[in-house]
Amino acid sequence: MTQQTLTDKIFELNAPYDNPYQGSFPRVLFVCSAGILRSASAATIASGRGINARAAGSASYALIPVSANLIEWAHRIVFVNPENKEQVLNTFVGTGYEEDIERKSVVWNIPDSYEYMHPTLMLSINAGLDDLIQTLPARNPGYVGKTAWDV
C-alpha cells in the first residue's frame, strides 16, 4: 500500500465546509502564489469588512495550497491575478472542480511586487473589495449560533 502524499490530499473533500460554528458571514478564499503576502493581506482586510476570509496559494511552494475543501467552502474565490487562476485550474484539471472554480472566480490584477499589508497593496485590495461585496450572498438570517462578531 502506497502512502498518500500531501499533494494527493488537496484533491480530497474531507472537511465540514458548511460548519455552522463558522458563523453566517460570506466566505471568500483569496489566492496568490504562496498565500502569504497578497492573499493574506486581502484576507486580513476582508475580515475587517465582515467577510469570513481565508488565504491560500496556487504555486507548488504555497504555505497553504488551494484544496478541494477550500474550493467547496468558498462562496467566491478571488485570484489576485490571472496567472494564479490559471495555475489552480491546471492543478484541478480533470477532477470535476473546474466548473466550481470558474463559477466562483473573481480575478484581480495585482502584481507580485508587494510585502504584506503594503499601503499601495491595501488600496488595491479595498478597491477590489468594494466591487466584490456587491456580489456576495447576504449574511444568513436563519443562523442561530453566536460568533465573536455577534457578541
Side-chain angles (χ1 to χ4, degrees), residues 7 10 16 21 37 40 45-46 52-54 57 61 63 66 86-87 95 99 105 122 129 131 140-141 144 147:
T7 302
I10 69 169
Y21 296 106
L37 298 175
I45 294 168
N52 186 349
R54 303 286 180 271
Y61 52 83
L63 181 63
V66 174
E86 196 62 36
Q87 284 177 319
T95 64
E99 187 177 314
S105 287
M122 291 172 64
L129 285 173
D131 293 334
N140 181 356
V144 294
T147 68

Side-chain angles (χ1 to χ4, degrees), residues 71-108:
I71 292 167
E72 287 291 333
W73 171 85
H75 291 119
R76 294 285 182 281
I77 303 170
V78 176
F79 296 95
V80 298
N81 65 38
E83 294 82 18
N84 297 124
K85 180 180 177 184
E86 196 62 36
Q87 284 177 319
V88 170
L89 284 171
N90 287 337
T91 298
F92 284 89
V93 70
T95 64
Y97 286 103
E98 301 96 319
E99 187 177 314
D100 282 345
I101 294 167
E102 287 290 354
R103 181 175 41 82
K104 295 178 179 187
S105 287
V106 173
V107 180
W108 293 346

Side-chain angles (χ1 to χ4, degrees), residues 116-150:
Y116 178 74
M117 298 299 276
H118 186 279
T120 305
L121 174 60
M122 291 172 64
L123 288 172
S124 295
I125 291 168
N126 274 307
L129 285 173
D130 289 341
D131 293 334
L132 176 70
I133 288 170
Q134 303 304 314
T135 72
L136 293 174
R139 188 172 177 196
N140 181 356
Y143 179 71
V144 294
K146 293 247 181 214
T147 68
W149 296 96
D150 298 319

